[in-house]
Amino acid sequence: MHDSERVIMQVACTSYDSGSKLVAAMLDNMAKLAGSDRADILSGPAESAFGWDFYPVAISRAFVQQLANMPENDIWRMKGANLDEKFATWLNRQLKLRVEGVQVKLLSDLKSSRFGLF
C-alpha cells in the first residue's frame, strides 16, 4: 500500500482498547492544535498476533507538514532521512512519554511478515 498524499504507519500495542484510544486522542489533539481536520487521519481494523494488536493509520502529509512547522514541537530535530521518518520518531517519543506498549512504524519500513516488525 502506497499513498503519496499520506504517511502510512502501523501501530502496534499490547492493549488495543487503551492503546488505540491514546493514539486517537493524541492525533485528535494534534489536529486541533494544527487547525487541521480529523479527516486528515484515517485508521483501519486491528489484527492480533504474538500478544500485540496491529492496525494501520494514514495521516495526511499536509497535516504532518503543518504540525512539523509549528514552533512548539521538535519534529524537524528528530532522527530520520525525511519528514515521514522524523514524524514517526517524534510520535514514538510522544507515545513513550505517556504509556508503554504502544509504538508506530512506517509501513515502508516493514520489510517482512504479515504483521510487520516492531
Side-chain angles (χ1 to χ4, degrees), residues 11-29:
V11 178
C13 47
T14 54
S15 170
Y16 177 75
D17 289 336
S18 62
S20 64
K21 286 177 186 172
L22 173 68
V23 171
M26 282 182 61
L27 292 173
D28 284 344
N29 189 42

Side-chain angles (χ1 to χ4, degrees), residues 48-60:
S48 296
F50 315 115
W52 288 74
D53 295 304
F54 301 89
Y55 67 97
V57 172
I59 302 171
S60 155

Side-chain angles (χ1 to χ4, degrees), residues 37-99:
D37 189 336
R38 180 63 173 112
D40 288 332
I41 304 163
L42 305 172
S43 62
E47 294 186 44
S48 296
F50 315 115
W52 288 74
D53 295 304
F54 301 89
Y55 67 97
V57 172
I59 302 171
S60 155
R61 284 187 196 284
F63 166 64
V64 172
Q65 182 76 45
Q66 202 172 11
L67 192 60
N69 289 335
M70 294 177 69
E72 59 270 9
N73 73 49
D74 55 355
I75 293 172
W76 288 112
R77 289 186 286 239
M78 296 290 110
K79 287 184 181 180
N82 55 49
L83 182 56
D84 293 4
E85 291 176 11
K86 290 174 183 291
F87 178 70
T89 300
W90 178 82
L91 186 56
N92 271 320
R93 179 181 275 180
Q94 299 304 309
L95 288 165
K96 195 173 193 174
L97 291 171
R98 289 163 178 78
V99 68

